[in-house]
Amino acid sequence: TAPPPWTSWSSAGSTGSASISGGGGRGGGCSCGGTVSIDGSTINGNSAGSSSYFDGGPGGGIYAGGSLTLINSTISGNTSGSSSAPGRYPGNGGGLQISSPAILRYSTIYGNSTGTGSSGSRGGGVFSEGNHYITIGATILAGNSAPGGSAPDCYSDGTVVSEDYNLVGDPTSCTFEAPTSHSYLGVPGYSLPALASNGGRTQTHALTAGNQA
């Protein structure tokens, strides 16, 4: 049965892993096709598939093959797939891999990582492939890592449309279009407390006193 063209998550928590025999499966929390809306959710502790023959799977938290809207949500503690094969790469997009236009608003993408391999990969927080627009507004994208690779927080082949009020730890591989006057672009060493119950329906990273966000 074909999946519905529209999927909506609300106030959900997601943990899981993805695997495909012989190769790294993509999308540890969700391998999402079609048009997907995620609202008020926490995607935490997922991993894309690892491989001993091919590249590791992309999108540790979410692999978005279709259009994605992420609102009031947290993507944290996810890892793309590793690869133990010689000359092969770990998966891109520790938190999120995007293959179509996407909107990220009022969300936190923190503490995610790409996997390991004989070579590094890109986009510990977000990896966007292809010349697609990403729209980011009032979002924290920081504290992620890409061991042995590049672009720990954000990598995009296309333009990043800013709705301002963003905090991005390392924006080097993402070009943000104006407005950015109320954003912090380049905050090395940014940190947040661990996920906890802070009064909402899912766990979140609390903002501490003096935090730039």
Side-chain angles (χ1 to χ4, degrees):
T1 302
W6 177 272
T7 302
S8 178
W9 292 5
S10 180
S11 299
S14 169
T15 57
S17 60
S19 62
I20 297 174
S21 179
R26 60 192 187 186
C30 178
S31 183
C32 304
T35 300
V36 176
S37 176
I38 299 175
D39 187 0
S41 300
T42 295
I43 315 298
N44 168 251
N46 303 284
S47 59
S50 295
S51 176
S52 56
Y53 302 101
F54 302 106
D55 294 341
I62 298 172
Y63 178 90
S67 297
L68 171 71
T69 300
L70 182 80
I71 299 175
N72 291 322
S73 294
T74 299
I75 299 178
S76 176
N78 304 286
T79 308
S80 65
S82 297
S83 177
S84 58
R88 291 288 186 169
Y89 293 85
N92 293 311
L96 170 64
Q97 170 142 340
I98 299 166
S99 298
S100 292
I103 298 171
L104 314 177
R105 290 188 182 123
Y106 310 115
S107 294
T108 299
I109 301 172
Y110 176 84
N112 304 283
S113 178
T114 57
T116 59
S118 59
S119 300
S121 56
R122 297 172 291 183
V126 172
F127 180 92
S128 176
E129 62 179 351
N131 192 26
H132 303 298
Y133 284 89
I134 313 174
T135 300
I136 303 181
T139 287
I140 296 172
L141 177 52
N144 304 285
S145 60
S150 61
D153 291 311
C154 183
Y155 176 89
S156 178
D157 287 329
T159 302
V160 178
V161 179
S162 173
E163 294 182 336
D164 216 356
Y165 299 96
N166 298 301
L167 187 151
V168 183
D170 184 343
T172 305
S173 298
C174 281
T175 301
F176 282 77
E177 287 192 345
T180 59
S181 59
H182 298 96
S183 294
Y184 291 94
L185 302 180
V187 187
Y190 183 80
S191 65
L192 288 171
L195 281 176
S197 298
N198 294 302
R201 289 182 285 184
T202 64
Q203 290 192 329
T204 56
H205 293 285
L207 296 179
T208 56
N211 192 296
Q212 295 99 320

